[in-house]
Amino acid sequence: MATDASQTLEGIGVSSGVAIGPVVRMADPVRPPADEPSPSDVDEAVTRVRDALDVVATELDRRAALASSDAADILTATAMMARDPSLQASAERRLRDGSGPATAVDDAVEEVCASLEAVGGYLAERVTDLRDVRDRVVAHLLGAPQPGIPAVDRPSVLVAHDLAPADTAGLSRDEILAIVTEAGGPTSHTAILAAQMGLPAVVGIGAGRAELADGVVVAVDGGSGQVLVAPSEAAQADWRQRAEQRAARLSAFSGPGRTSDGVPVSLLANIGTVDDAKAAAEADVEGVGLFRTEFLYLDRSAAPTIAEQTDTYVAVLQAFGTRRVVVRTLDAGADKPLPFVQHGEEENPALGVRGLRLARRSTALLDDQLAALAAAAQQCEADVWVMAPMVATAEEAQWFAARARAAGLPKVGVMVEVPAAALRSGDVLADVDFASIGTNDLTQYTLAADRMLGELAPLLDAWQPSVLDLVAATVAGAGDTRSVGVCGEAAGDPLLALVLVGLGVTSLSMAPTKVPAVRAALALHDHARCAEIAAAARAATSAETARAAVVELLAPEARPLA
Ligand code: PEP
Ligand code: MG
């Protein structure tokens, strides 16, 4: 694309689409200065603190009105904390004792936090929300930008150091046009959520973030990872036109996924919420290949009841009519911590008690989820499949399959995202009906590279021939009776999709926005060519040469997809 702008920044494109708009930066929290002076006029300081608490509460209420129901409940409850008279009284007492305004609020909040923590349970979990109120009030008093997702007065491109999955999930598509982050890797959950929301996103922009000041217009290409700073009118028009041309080319293909010789490859959606489900059900997809249920729990302080979960699953299943919906049981831990499940800090959370390992520790949590899903399946017509995350051994797969079947769920599978499971897929899949390869974690564990680290992006690449070998091993071990799909980010890369299908994968699940390019790539190659493409990729010795070998073998009409 034309890049006649003053500057072009390069990051990692993780959610395709072009967006152009002014930057809004997410500020880091500020702390009260250690030497904050006592107020010269205490009454005036009391009024200032009260006003600051009120401004923050009003802003939280405003955001609640715009948020989805779960996020709205949290924001409303947090606004109520900011209006708590005992908090105001405690801050006032401290001001009269000589503390500066920001220090008074900080100390008052810490006092309330300490008493909540002493009570424990649900109340202790409100401490995080209360500290969020504190950070906002302190920033207001010091005249610093509000921490967290900023309020915007026009649709903007959000620029941050990094974003927590819960922050990303709460973003409003009406307010945020695209995300650009300094840190973050291509398979971080923030990147995945952005793709699911259809929000163009570039991560790992590094020191380039310094160029992105509030209000500067940028053009973001979530496919290539380019960010143009202050593009000219001509460059903006050029970017928009190319994005439209690409969309028009892809819209020529529709319907179920298949290679040019008619071999079916199911094209499925990855979803995380009821809203995602409703949006994905409208798209041209054959169902859901990965319902990440942990996103339902992320911003909660206690597990939802069976009845609540059943309602949620019914809403998701109903959206898809009779289509397939593959539900993954809770995959908490590592970069998706859940306060009510985790027990203490771990040195290496990605290698710790996460995924199915957590379910084995808290079996009630899993059994409740399976019961809720079985109840929902009874009420709906969808073809419900259930699978477990982070399965490493045959014994774990057996354990899960027995529990899921006992709950009344007949179609049971496992995710293959640990190299051990790929290498011994014959054993691991012996007692289940299907496998879904999670290439995000499979790549992380194969290359021993933390998927959260943008710096390790070259290693965290599912084009790595070692990862392709493990996909091939999974398919070989699965035999003819079990289907093997891919639901990691690799499935949404049109060129890599050809490789995966050539290796014997029969379904691909991805953010719905990625489906059209993958459908087009498949429709332009027959299955034998996919097998040839896969062989060429596996014969390479690096991720770059694997991709280059595939580009050489593409049908000419598919080259614009590369
Ligand atoms: C994966 O690891 O590839 C996967 C699909 O699961 P998640 O990204 O949620 O860990
Ligand atoms: Mg995973």
Side-chain angles (χ1 to χ4, degrees):
M1 290 192 186
T3 56
D4 66 337
S6 55
Q7 194 171 8
T8 304
L9 306 175
E10 300 278 350
I12 306 162
V14 292
S15 174
S16 61
V18 166
I20 301 173
V23 164
V24 60
R25 287 173 70 100
M26 182 160 140
D28 300 324
V30 284
R31 306 291 305 132
D35 53 355
E36 191 184 21
S38 302
S40 50
D41 178 344
V42 173
D43 289 332
E44 184 271 344
V46 168
T47 308
R48 255 195 333 123
V49 165
R50 198 171 295 153
D51 288 351
L53 284 161
D54 193 51
V55 165
V56 166
T58 306
E59 171 56 17
L60 288 166
D61 279 337
R62 188 193 71 83
R63 286 178 51 204
L66 298 171
S68 65
S69 58
D70 274 352
D73 290 349
I74 291 178
L75 290 166
T76 306
T78 312
M80 277 167 65
M81 291 178 172
R83 294 203 172 92
D84 179 359
S86 66
L87 178 64
Q88 294 192 7
S90 170
E92 180 172 340
R93 202 173 53 246
R94 286 158 201 282
L95 286 167
R96 298 201 184 282
D97 287 347
S99 295
T103 310
V105 169
D106 197 57
D107 291 347
V109 167
E110 274 317 302
E111 185 186 52
V112 181
C113 288
S115 56
L116 292 179
E117 277 167 344
V119 178
Y122 174 81
L123 286 178
E125 283 145 11
R126 310 306 335 141
V127 162
T128 312
D129 301 340
L130 198 52
R131 293 206 172 108
D132 180 46
V133 168
R134 173 199 64 193
D135 291 343
R136 290 172 184 281
V137 176
V138 167
H140 187 83
L141 289 167
L142 297 175
Q146 285 289 300
I149 305 296
V152 297
D153 52 10
R154 57 195 160 148
S156 303
V157 172
L158 180 65
V159 175
H161 169 69
D162 202 357
L163 283 170
D167 284 337
T168 313
L171 292 179
S172 158
R173 285 294 277 115
D174 296 335
E175 296 185 348
I176 302 301
L177 300 168
I179 302 174
V180 177
T181 66
E182 179 175 344
T187 56
S188 65
H189 282 96
T190 292
I192 290 168
L193 272 175
Q196 254 169 233
M197 295 163 76
L199 201 57
V202 174
V203 301
I205 200 95
R209 180 166 77 121
E211 307 301 323
L212 303 174
D214 266 320
V216 168
V217 171
V218 289
V220 179
D221 182 348
S224 69
Q226 281 192 331
V227 178
L228 297 194
V229 185
S232 66
E233 289 295 326
Q236 292 186 33
D238 185 45
W239 272 43
R240 284 203 182 93
Q241 192 194 16
R242 283 165 189 260
E244 279 160 19
Q245 280 169 350
R246 180 182 153 88
R249 255 198 317 271
L250 296 181
S251 68
F253 303 91
S254 61
R258 53 191 64 243
T259 56
S260 62
D261 55 336
V263 176
V265 179
S266 306
L267 297 178
L268 304 163
N270 288 354
I271 62 167
T273 63
V274 174
D275 287 348
D276 285 352
K278 289 183 177 153
E282 297 291 309
D284 187 3
V285 298
E286 292 160 66
V288 171
L290 171 62
F291 175 13
R292 287 185 167 98
T293 55
E294 60 278 3
F295 287 124
L296 302 175
Y297 301 61
L298 263 192
D299 51 8
R300 303 189 54 126
S301 51
T305 62
I306 296 183
E308 261 180 286
Q309 291 188 57
T310 305
D311 288 350
T312 305
Y313 299 142
V314 165
V316 169
L317 298 181
Q318 272 177 349
F320 285 90
T322 57
R323 286 181 274 179
R324 182 196 314 176
V325 178
V326 184
V327 181
R328 177 174 76 187
T329 55
L330 190 59
D331 183 23
D335 66 329
K336 293 175 286 190
L338 290 185
F340 55 93
V341 189
Q342 248 83 39
H343 305 271
E345 294 278 305
E346 290 179 330
E347 288 272 333
N348 295 300
L351 301 179
V353 184
R354 57 164 298 198
L356 185 67
R357 300 166 188 180
L358 260 179
R360 296 193 77 170
R361 191 192 261 179
S362 311
T363 47
L365 204 63
L366 176 67
D367 289 340
D368 282 0
Q369 191 176 21
L370 293 172
L373 184 58
Q378 289 260 315
Q379 298 172 41
C380 303
E381 291 182 318
D383 180 16
V384 178
W385 301 18
V386 65
M387 64 182 182
M390 286 293 294
V391 171
T393 67
E395 187 273 330
E396 288 174 352
Q398 242 171 33
W399 181 88
F400 176 75
R403 272 193 127 79
R405 294 207 167 97
L409 293 159
K411 189 94 177 175
V412 182
V414 294
M415 288 196 65
V416 172
E417 46 188 353
V418 177
L423 290 168
R424 299 301 296 246
S425 79
D427 300 336
V428 171
L429 302 182
D431 286 317
V432 300
D433 307 302
F434 70 96
S436 184
I437 303 178
T439 45
N440 307 335
D441 277 316
L442 188 60
T443 307
Q444 149 165 274
Y445 295 126
T446 304
L447 279 299
D450 184 342
R451 65 192 268 185
M452 305 286 286
L453 285 184
E455 188 185 335
L456 299 181
L459 290 173
L460 279 164
D461 187 341
W463 281 98
Q464 290 282 355
S466 51
V467 177
L468 302 180
D469 282 355
L470 289 174
V471 173
T474 307
V475 172
D480 296 333
T481 53
R482 284 175 207 87
S483 64
V484 178
V486 170
C487 62
E489 293 307 285
D493 172 336
L495 270 52
L496 201 40
L498 297 174
V499 174
L500 298 170
V501 168
L503 293 174
V505 161
T506 56
S507 69
L508 297 167
S509 191
M510 65 205 88
T513 49
K514 298 188 175 180
V515 169
V518 172
R519 177 188 285 115
L522 293 173
L524 293 169
H525 300 86
D526 64 23
H527 200 268
R529 176 50 72 106
C530 291
E532 215 180 304
I533 282 174
R538 277 185 78 194
T541 55
S542 70
E544 300 79 62
T545 52
R547 193 173 187 284
V550 170
V551 169
E552 284 300 307
L553 291 173
L554 286 181
E557 315 88 283
R559 288 195 169 251
L561 297 171

